[in-house]
Amino acid sequence: MSEQEKSPEDSGGEAPAEAGEQKAEAPAEAPAEAPAAEAKPARAEKAAAAPTKEPPPPGGIADLLKEALPDIQMEAYQGLSSVIVEIARDDISTVMRAAKDDPRLDLKFLRCLFGVDHLEEGFEVIYQLLSLTKDHEVTIKTRLPQADPKVASVTPVWNAANWHERETRDMFGIDFEGHPHLVPLLLPEDMTDHFPLRKDNPLAPVEEWQGELLGEHMASAGHIPAGSGFEVEAEAGGE
Amino acid sequence: MVTEERELETVDLNINMGPQHPSTHGVFRMVLTIDGEVVTDVEPHIGYMHRGGEKLSENMDFRQAIGYQDRTDYLAQFLNEQAYCMAVEKLLGLEVPERSEYIRIILCELNRITSHFMFAGAFGIDLGFFGTSFTYGFREREFIQDIFEEVSGDRLMYGYFRPGGVVWDVPDNFVQRVREVLPKSKQGIKDLDLLLTDNEIFVARSRGVGVISGDDAIDWGLSGPMLRASGVAWDLRKDRSYSIYNRFDFDIPVGDYGDVYDRYLVRMEEMRQSIRIVEQALEQLPDGPILPEKMPRKLRAPASEVYAAVEGARGEYGIYVVSKGGDKPYRLKIRSPSFCNLSALKTMTVGNYVADAVAILGSVDIVLCDVDR
Amino acid sequence: MSYTISNAWLDALVGMIVIVLLMTLVVLALIYLERKIAGRIQMRLGPMRVGPHGTLQTLADAIKLIGKEDLRPRSADRWAFELAVFAIFVPAFLAFVAIPFTREWAVSFLDLGLFYVIAVTSLSFIGFLMAGWGSDNKYALLGGLRAAAQLISYEVPMVLSLVAVAMITGSLNLSEIVEFQGRVPLFVWQPLALFIFIAASLAELERQPFDIPTAESEVVGGPFIEYSGIRWSMFFLTSYANLFIYSLLGAAVFLGGWNWPLGEEVGWGLQVALMFVKTSFFIVFLIWFRFAMPRLRIDQLMSFCWKLLIPFAFLQIFLNGLVLVYEWPDGLLFVTSAAGLALLSYIIYRTVSVAPRRVRLVPANPGRATAPAAAEAGG
């Protein structure tokens, strides 16, 4: 529960706009931490349990998809902002092609395409589709195994996918087969083997990292004011 | 004697409009292949401003992560913050009080006006004005930025919105100040109009240049003024009405030709419509709290996913949050409009002149921090 | 000088020194003037800090530029790179030789004055080509070629419009052209030629709307992109020296110089004042254009020159020829030229003016209830 220990020091390393609010909160939070600490394991358990998935509204996009693609296995449920449909990764090409071309669906606008790293559960690629004429939208997801992150590219279907897939490959290492020009987009051209957004590239908690480095640097320059919380013991070696 | 006819071997010239260039609106590199003065290929290289915002946001809790949203599209900050706050509010089931909704709308629309003033100024420079349009646009921006500074304390990175409302109430003279500034903005729009809109050379440089059809625009994922200039009447304030936009009477400008001139006209008209919205919102601004009463101290989200999008100054700015419980987002994806709009650069530019390449890039109105996050 | 110094060499030396001093001071003043006018057009003040109201700004800039490192790219063609400066700079000085400032003051009252000035100022385009090629930089090359194309093209209407004027005055001697305008200045007789002259001067000076060779927002300085320090300042100065030359030429040829309207019997003070006022008129006009107009694209620029200006310049010559050969009354010079100008204006108007385009407005909330939902706000 390192987060809770750090919260009074939250005010240290933040944007100034936050500082006023957080400082006011920090003293109030200390007494609230004790009950919160007990409540947290209970809440965490509840959160870890799979959320109940509501069925999608009838006659909506999920039914249209099932009509247009009767042979494809899909699991549809109602998410917080749109209907979410999960399909197998081998069906991506067929489903996406049908989504764009089928006149009932007419999902011609690819809003977004990105990946999520779920560690052992694999990667997930999320496609957000929208139809401007039929005024409906859907979020299509597909799981990729962690050892084999490959999926068919949808660039032949929507040109918008071109850059989105390049970025997802940069960040997660997911290989999009059939992409015309899969070279790094946001990362340097030679950075093809290191994938920043994967969860095995952790970011240290910001305060911890900044605080220590800040302490080392400022100590050597002799600038740390007493009582600031950044003092570093003279002989403590940094990590 | 028969002389052989030999073809003159020519090689297309590769010009690098490098990361440092007055016209690339930021750190952006465009490799143009030109044949004489006609562009045959464009390869954009982005990523110079990539700061790993999505990864950083995974490490910040839901209130801290708003600091990063200012720094993506730094010309339309309130609109970014609005998208983020809407996403988190939907995730946590927070209800925003009326006063905060109105304050947010007023500030968002004023921010749209400042962003478009910046566009008009910079666009004039791209076409050759050498500074005149820039100073016209920026003077008007300063009046509105003074209001933003009075409200949030900052000139550029406001950090004023919070999930649930806004961080503190606006100053007492807010309504009066905004009412003072609106006539100046109207006059500023008129001045820029007189300088640019019917200027024959401006028109000759921008009509018929960089045309993209409505279907192509949809296929390339364009949004915002670029999509509307191509004839597609899609605006998130109208078609996916969020916040309290359904209470105001305003119009969406839609162009017909999809060229650079239409994009300019659409943005100028959007400024006027934003002024309309602000005037109506000022009249309706109620009193009341600015944060919900039962505001939790620590924002803990259930394990769920949500997507919220606003009509930003450049297009659809969307935030997708994947949460696995806890107070930090598991994955925060920023759907940035400039990224999607810029991907269509090659289709729009090939076949035009080099001078037009600059005009087209200017009309896409990108912000590099938004492209690269 | 009309009072000749006995030694011709000394005479020439004095002339050179006077010209150099005059040029430098005038150019410094012009740079300051341009910055101030630019500031006012752009709703700001211009230089204000260095010296009273910024008058010493140009001097400070000159000192800074002289102190800068003189860079030369290693792969640049050395002689082309270094001599380009001179190729552009020297013709500007040479042109001053034949321009009369008053009835008695000129370095030399050449009989071929007008021809000489045109010939010499048109030499400078070779400097642009040398700079563009010698810099070994693609932007420089692009800018240099654009400059060469533009300068060569716009020489033609410039020359033709001045030829039309020379037809009427019957002389190429600039002093005689000014003398000719005792009662009526030449812009009354030849408005079309004046228009063509102004357009061609803007192009020769590479100022907006014809500044595509050194387009700041595209090729960032064009042929001069690799130059720094004193070399670059030479280019910059030459641009203002040329501005001065073309304004002087316009004032002398079209506005009547030191002659109209006060005539023959005025002292040199008033003559200088008249020349000053008329030259300033041209200078301010040309500077104003720069900050109020965007730039034309190269193909639009070329078609304007070859499809509009040159045919109309030929038309002007033809009309003048008709009037002079058939000895029609002089008033017809004005009538024909004005008619030509009207026709040119009409054609330009029809070409550039298109139906104003406006966007259509789609209401966002068409079925909205008129009463705002403030009632729901509660508290």
Side-chain angles (χ1 to χ4, degrees), chain C residues 114-187:
Chain C
L114 193 57
F115 179 76
Y116 170 80
V117 169
I118 306 267
V120 151
T121 51
S122 73
L123 281 178
S124 58
F125 92 93
I126 195 81
F128 284 90
L129 273 179
M130 288 166 72
W133 176 259
S135 299
D136 194 36
N137 180 327
K138 284 175 193 159
Y139 281 134
L141 188 63
L142 208 60
L145 292 176
R146 283 174 172 179
Q150 179 177 317
L151 290 176
I152 299 179
S153 305
Y154 276 90
E155 276 299 327
V156 183
M158 164 86 78
V159 169
L160 291 178
S161 65
L162 291 172
V163 161
V165 163
M167 281 171 76
I168 298 184
T169 61
S171 161
L172 287 172
N173 187 334
L174 280 167
S175 296
E176 284 180 28
I177 295 181
V178 176
E179 300 274 346
F180 181 85
Q181 297 170 66
R183 283 180 307 112
V184 182
L186 270 167
F187 77 84

Side-chain angles (χ1 to χ4, degrees), chain B residues 178-191:
Chain B
V178 178
R179 285 216 169 102
E180 271 172 27
V181 161
L182 286 180
K184 291 188 189 155
S185 295
K186 283 188 196 157
Q187 183 59 40
I189 297 175
K190 218 183 289 186
D191 285 340

Side-chain angles (χ1 to χ4, degrees), chain B residues 14 16-17 21 23 37 126-128 130 132 135 204-205 245 247-248 250-252 254 256 259 262 356, chain C residues 42-43 138-139 146 208 216-218 291-292 294-295 297 300 352 354 357 360 362-365 368 372-373:
Chain B
N14 248 356
N16 191 30
M17 290 190 112
H21 193 276
S23 269
E37 278 263 346
D126 286 339
L127 287 191
F130 209 73
T132 313
T135 47
R205 282 293 299 276
Y245 276 106
R247 299 187 196 169
F248 303 117
F250 62 102
D251 298 318
I252 308 288
V254 179
D256 293 308
D259 58 8
D262 257 351
D356 290 337
Chain C
Q42 294 172 359
M43 297 194 298
K138 284 175 193 159
Y139 281 134
R146 283 174 172 179
Q208 261 91 336
E216 271 297 317
S217 59
E218 295 167 32
F291 296 103
R295 73 175 66 93
R297 213 171 50 210
Q300 294 164 340
V352 302
V354 286
R357 200 202 277 177
R360 29 181 188 107
V362 173
N365 299 312
R368 200 178 66 79

Side-chain angles (χ1 to χ4, degrees), chain A residues 15 18, chain B residues 60 63-72 84 157 159:
Chain A
E18 328 285 328
Chain B
M60 304 194 246
R63 280 202 188 91
Q64 287 175 310
I66 224 192
Y68 201 79
Q69 297 304 313
D70 284 323
R71 286 149 176 87
T72 48
Y84 178 77
M157 304 300 177

Side-chain angles (χ1 to χ4, degrees), chain C residues 230-297:
Chain C
I230 192 74
R231 277 187 218 281
W232 181 81
S233 68
M234 292 281 100
F235 288 122
F236 195 54
L237 256 62
T238 311
S239 152
Y240 289 93
N242 277 330
L243 174 65
F244 190 45
I245 291 174
Y246 284 108
S247 305
L248 275 174
L249 202 59
V253 171
F254 286 101
L255 290 185
W258 34 259
N259 196 354
W260 180 79
L262 297 178
E264 301 277 329
E265 305 302 325
V266 289
W268 59 265
L270 268 177
Q271 288 179 13
V272 167
L274 271 179
M275 270 305 264
F276 176 77
V277 166
K278 291 173 187 180
T279 313
S280 307
F281 170 75
F282 265 102
I283 290 177
V284 171
F285 196 61
L286 294 177
I287 292 180
W288 190 351
F289 253 93
R290 182 177 192 192
F291 296 103
M293 313 217 91
R295 73 175 66 93
L296 286 174
R297 213 171 50 210

Side-chain angles (χ1 to χ4, degrees), chain A residues 9-15 206-207 210 230, chain B residues 64:
Chain A
E9 290 161 27
D10 267 359
S11 28
E14 287 171 15
V206 173
E207 307 83 1
Q210 257 193 355
F230 286 119
Chain B
Q64 287 175 310

Side-chain angles (χ1 to χ4, degrees), chain B residues 246-293:
Chain B
N246 53 358
R247 299 187 196 169
F248 303 117
D249 196 11
F250 62 102
D251 298 318
I252 308 288
V254 179
D256 293 308
Y257 296 91
D259 58 8
V260 161
Y261 190 57
D262 257 351
R263 290 172 205 147
Y264 161 79
L265 287 177
V266 163
R267 288 189 177 103
M268 295 300 280
E269 187 58 41
E270 271 187 15
M271 278 201 263
R272 298 190 191 102
Q273 298 300 322
S274 289
I275 293 185
R276 271 177 84 180
I277 298 177
V278 174
E279 284 170 346
Q280 292 169 48
L282 281 176
E283 279 166 37
Q284 299 174 23
L285 181 65
D287 293 321
I290 49 158
L291 283 170
E293 285 163 17

